[in-house]
């Protein structure tokens, strides 16, 4: 009975967690008028009682006069004071919202908000998927602390506008104080490290646009192992590994693997996006997450091999998000496939680059078989992260890019993919939607790809192909549920021919039954009559 009651309580807590802690959705009117420019976090982290305290400053611009400012924060914290442009203001704090009711209305323009607060952050029940703080320890007993909050939003530990459509254009400063002897790993560049008595403050700063869930830090007894990397465009950027001291002997080999990963990603997606700062990973007690310029790594050095060389799939995937997710960022969680699907396609490209086209094709065939098709990849608009998150945004999103590659051809596809990842129109603070991706590839390919995007991303349909035998060696082939012509490979008597197939049947001759799409470029269902 006790075990059953405990299990019920765990399920109830997870249900409450899932219901309350979501990022995104329909943007609140009081927040729509705000353009966030910069965050400053000044926090002391106290591992002994698993608490934090300090303040957050938010620099923003309002596009019209307002009497209300609204920010997101979980209610495990207590807010002490709120200032707007240096003046203390009244506020309420309910339903995970800080509502600042201004004594006098603000005119449109620049605003600085400071919120002083503290308390115990939510403990992550299943990081990184269900986030919060992870309070762990290394084998020596030293504190090892990590934060994850992609689906839940940065409101899990600091006041913010918790919506993917608004990133701080001028970056963030993090001034994090920890017990002496511990190290803080954060985004951007380390500005200073100051120790007073038994506490050390680390000041991290990024000037780049950064998504909310990357504005965080990890804490541990780290050793920093560094080397320089020359990018594909000739810029020298430091590679850093914030590795637990007990694993420092593994760092150099790990960075060797990392360098191969970086060079492969740069070949397909262009120069590493954050050349003014660093390339870095930090060892964490959870599996991993794509935190800008400081990716979380928790795969415990469990390597596989690709082309006979050691490889770390986790490090490769999370690092791919430096382009897809951090540099190219969806404006709505409904467009999450852009970062997860294209990043996963990049994982397959590593196989292609190092083991060849046939190995890549076999990998994509396995991806096709694993596709669930329970929900469309793009479910609508103005959605929260939990609603859109399912397995097919990874695999089916990646396979869609594989299909797109086949349809428009390598000579167009690969330059277009790199162009999208490097164009100022779609990167950094220019957030993108599925419509932007579709319009771009349509323009580059010189054909209307909207029907293809709609069919594969906005429905759960598979391409249905009919093969009807009309004589001993003649067949009619047509598509049943797609109204436009598609190029499809057909194997006739052992020879593969590419033909344009639509709902109007075409006649082919073959002594053996035609094999449709033998190398698996489409998610499809073939019916033989």
């Amino acid at each position: 009975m006790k075990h059953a009651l405990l299990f019920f309580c765990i399920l109830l807590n997870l249900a409450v967690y899932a219901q309350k802690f979501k990022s995104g959705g329909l943007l609140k009117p009081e927040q729509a008028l705000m353009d966030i420019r910069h965050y400053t976090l000044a926090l002391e982290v106290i591992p002994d009682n698993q608490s934090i305290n300090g303040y957050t400053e938010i620099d923003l611009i309002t596009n019209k006069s307002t009497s209300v400012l609204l920010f997101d924060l979980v209610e495990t914290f207590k807010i002490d004071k709120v200032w707007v442009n240096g003046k203390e203001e009244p506020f309420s704090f309910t339903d995970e919202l800080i509502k600042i009711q201004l004594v006098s209305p603000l005119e449109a323009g620049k605003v600085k908000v400071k919120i002083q607060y503290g308390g115990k952050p939510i403990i992550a029940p299943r990081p990184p998927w269900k986030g919060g703080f992870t309070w762990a320890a290394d084998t020596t007993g030293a504190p090892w602390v990590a934060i994850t909050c992609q689906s839940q939003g940065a409101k899990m530990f600091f006041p913010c506008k918790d919506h993917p459509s608004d990133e701080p254009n001028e970056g963030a400063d993090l001034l994090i104080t920890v017990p002496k002897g511990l190290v803080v790993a954060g985004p951007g560049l380390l500005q200073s490290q100051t120790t007073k008595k038994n506490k050390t403050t680390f000041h991290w700063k990024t000037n780049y646009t950064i998504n909310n869930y990357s504005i965080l830090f990890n804490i541990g007894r780290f050793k920093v192992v560094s080397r320089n990397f020359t990018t594909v465009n000739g810029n020298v950027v430091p590679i850093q590994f914030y590795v637990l001291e007990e694993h420092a002997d593994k760092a150099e080999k790990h960075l060797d693997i990392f360098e191969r990963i970086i060079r492969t990603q740069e070949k397909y997606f262009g120069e590493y996006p954050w050349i003014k700062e660093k390339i870095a990973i930090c060892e964490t007690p959870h599996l991993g997450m794509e935190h800008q310029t400081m990716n979380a790594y928790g795969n415990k050095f469990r390597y596989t091999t690709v082309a006979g060389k050691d490889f770390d799939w986790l490090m490769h995937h999370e690092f791919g998000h430096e382009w897809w997710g951090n540099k190219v960022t969806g404006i709505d969680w409904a467009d999450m496939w852009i970062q997860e699907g294209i990043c996963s396609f990049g994982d397959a490209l590593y196989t292609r680059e190092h083991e060849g086209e046939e190995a890549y094709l076999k990998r994509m065939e396995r991806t096709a078989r694993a596709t669930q098709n329970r929900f469309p990849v793009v479910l609508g608009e103005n959605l929260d992260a939990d609603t859109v998150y399912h397995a097919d945004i990874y695999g089916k999103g990646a396979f869609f890019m594989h299909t797109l590659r086949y349809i428009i051809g390598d000579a167009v596809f690969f330059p277009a993919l790199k162009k999208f990842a490097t164009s100022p129109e779609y990167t950094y603070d220019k957030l993108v939607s599925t419509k932007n991706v579709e319009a771009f590839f349509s323009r580059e390919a010189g054909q209307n790809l909207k029907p293809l995007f709609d069919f594969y991303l906005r429905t759960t349909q598979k391409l249905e192909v009919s093969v009807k035998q009309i004589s001993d060696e003649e067949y009619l082939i047509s598509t049943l549920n797609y109204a436009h012509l598609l190029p499809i490979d057909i194997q006739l008597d052992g020879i593969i021919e590419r033909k344009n197939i639509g709902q109007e049947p075409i006649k082919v001759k073959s002594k053996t039954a035609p094999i449709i799409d033998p190398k698996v470029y489409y998610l499809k269902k073939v019916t033989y009559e």
Side-chain angles (χ1 to χ4, degrees):
M1 179 63 72
K2 286 183 179 179
H3 289 109
L5 182 60
L6 176 62
F7 182 68
F8 175 76
C9 289
I10 291 172
L11 288 179
L12 182 61
N13 286 336
L14 286 174
V16 171
Y17 178 97
Q19 183 178 3
K20 292 183 71 173
F21 307 132
K22 297 179 180 180
S23 174
L26 188 64
L27 186 60
K28 302 173 186 68
E30 300 92 337
Q31 292 187 328
L33 58 83
M34 300 190 305
D35 175 19
I36 304 297
R37 308 302 297 179
H38 185 271
Y39 288 107
T40 299
L41 279 62
L43 299 172
E44 180 179 1
V45 181
I46 308 169
D48 285 349
N49 64 7
Q50 299 185 352
S51 68
I52 65 174
N53 65 75
Y55 66 84
T56 293
E57 282 186 349
I58 308 164
D59 293 285
L60 59 97
I61 298 173
T62 59
N63 61 20
K64 61 182 178 181
S65 177
T66 183
S67 297
V68 175
L69 295 171
L70 196 65
F71 300 97
D72 302 281
L73 183 68
V74 298
E75 288 180 62
T76 57
F77 297 106
K78 178 182 179 296
I79 297 175
D80 298 317
K81 291 183 180 180
V82 171
W83 297 265
V84 177
N85 292 335
K87 179 183 176 183
E88 190 172 344
E89 295 282 359
F91 66 91
S92 62
F93 184 29
T94 58
D95 297 326
E96 319 293 333
L97 293 170
I98 306 167
K99 185 176 183 179
I100 305 172
Q101 191 69 55
L102 298 162
V103 174
S104 301
L106 286 171
E107 295 300 318
K110 292 183 178 180
V111 182
K112 181 183 287 290
V113 178
K114 181 178 179 180
I115 299 173
Q116 183 175 308
Y117 66 106
K120 291 181 178 291
I122 290 167
I123 295 175
R126 192 167 67 91
W129 298 277
K130 294 186 182 298
F133 269 59
T134 298
W135 304 94
D138 63 23
T139 58
T140 71
W144 189 18
V145 184
I147 306 171
T148 48
C149 59
Q150 182 185 44
S151 294
Q152 297 75 39
K155 65 177 178 293
M156 296 297 276
F157 80 105
F158 73 89
C160 61
K161 177 182 175 182
D162 181 31
H163 201 275
S165 65
D166 194 359
E167 299 181 344
N169 306 68
E170 297 157 21
D173 283 78
L174 284 72
L175 295 96
I176 310 301
T177 301
V178 295
K180 182 180 177 181
L182 296 179
V183 175
V184 177
L189 291 175
L190 183 61
Q191 304 297 299
S192 64
Q193 177 180 332
T194 307
T195 300
K196 293 182 180 180
K197 296 184 179 179
N198 61 345
K199 298 178 182 179
T200 304
T201 299
F202 292 79
H203 179 190
W204 286 95
K205 180 180 183 65
T206 176
N207 292 310
Y208 286 107
T209 300
I210 184 169
N211 52 54
N212 278 4
Y213 66 84
S214 288
I215 304 173
L216 47 69
F217 51 87
N218 299 289
I219 300 167
R221 192 171 286 172
F222 298 127
K223 179 179 180 180
V224 184
V225 180
S226 300
R227 63 175 67 167
N228 284 333
F229 176 81
T230 302
T231 71
V232 70
N233 290 353
N235 290 296
V236 178
V237 185
I239 305 178
Q240 298 176 343
F241 188 6
Y242 279 69
V243 61
L244 288 179
E245 289 182 352
E246 61 197 68
H247 296 147
D249 61 327
K250 303 177 185 295
E252 291 295 344
K253 176 181 177 178
H254 201 67
L255 291 181
D256 290 341
I257 297 169
F258 198 11
E259 282 203 44
R260 287 197 296 274
I261 285 171
I262 300 167
R263 295 190 190 285
T264 305
Q265 301 269 19
E266 282 195 321
K267 174 179 177 178
Y268 287 100
F269 305 141
E271 186 178 36
Y272 174 71
W274 321 105
I275 57 170
K276 296 178 182 178
E277 295 184 346
K278 67 182 185 303
I279 302 168
I281 53 175
C282 179
E283 190 175 1
T284 55
H286 62 84
L287 184 60
M289 180 56 68
E290 65 268 19
H291 300 143
Q292 187 169 305
T293 74
M294 185 63 84
N295 277 258
Y297 172 79
N299 202 32
K300 300 180 180 179
F301 309 98
R302 292 175 293 201
Y303 302 138
T304 57
T305 57
V306 175
K309 294 183 178 180
D310 284 339
F311 175 69
D312 195 303
W313 70 268
L314 186 282
M315 184 164 61
H316 184 277
H317 179 79
E318 303 304 345
F319 185 69
H321 282 302
E322 294 286 31
W323 287 265
W324 306 104
N326 296 342
K327 185 184 184 186
V328 177
T329 307
I331 197 168
D332 186 342
W333 284 122
D335 303 300
M336 197 175 187
W337 80 273
I338 297 172
Q339 66 188 67
E340 295 297 356
I342 303 180
C343 186
S344 296
F345 180 69
D347 297 339
L349 291 179
Y350 188 92
T351 299
R352 178 180 186 263
E353 184 67 20
H354 296 279
E355 291 191 335
E357 186 72 16
E358 289 305 311
Y360 158 86
L361 289 172
K362 287 179 181 177
R363 176 174 179 146
M364 296 314 300
E365 185 176 356
R366 292 194 298 271
T367 301
R369 289 198 301 268
T371 298
Q372 298 175 8
N373 261 341
R374 292 176 58 205
F375 308 102
V377 171
V378 180
L379 287 160
E381 296 179 347
N382 300 317
L383 301 176
D384 63 70
D386 280 359
T387 298
V388 307
Y389 191 83
H390 59 90
D392 280 355
I393 65 172
Y394 293 84
K396 189 177 178 182
F399 195 88
F400 174 73
M401 297 303 293
H402 172 63
T403 301
L404 184 62
R405 175 196 168 195
Y406 170 78
I407 289 173
I408 67 178
D410 287 1
V412 173
F413 176 81
F414 284 115
L417 184 63
K418 184 181 290 186
K419 183 177 178 180
F420 192 87
T422 55
S423 170
E425 186 179 353
Y426 305 109
T427 54
Y428 299 110
D429 60 354
K430 299 296 192 299
L431 308 185
V432 301
S433 67
T434 301
K435 292 178 182 177
N436 295 140
V437 180
E438 176 268 303
F440 171 82
F441 277 98
S442 291
R443 186 168 62 249
E444 294 297 306
Q447 57 180 292
N448 180 15
L449 295 169
K450 186 177 186 302
L452 183 78
F453 273 71
D454 289 345
F455 184 84
Y456 274 118
L457 298 180
R458 293 187 168 89
T459 81
T460 58
Q461 295 186 73
K462 292 184 177 181
L463 182 67
E464 295 181 15
V465 182
S466 169
V467 180
K468 185 176 182 179
Q469 187 170 11
I470 56 174
S471 70
D472 287 347
E473 297 183 5
E474 289 185 315
Y475 299 83
L476 294 177
I477 301 175
S478 63
T479 57
L480 301 178
N481 62 341
Y482 191 79
H484 306 269
L485 289 174
L486 283 174
I488 301 177
D489 285 350
I490 304 174
Q491 185 172 311
L492 305 170
D493 293 331
I495 298 173
I496 296 176
E497 299 181 17
R498 180 167 165 147
K499 296 183 178 295
N500 290 322
I501 309 296
Q503 292 183 329
E504 184 68 29
I506 66 166
K507 185 187 294 186
V508 298
K509 290 186 176 183
S510 180
K511 295 177 181 178
T512 58
I515 299 174
I516 306 300
D517 184 32
K519 293 189 176 181
V520 192
Y521 292 105
Y522 290 99
L523 294 174
K524 63 188 182 297
K525 177 182 178 182
V526 181
T527 303
Y528 288 86
E529 296 182 44

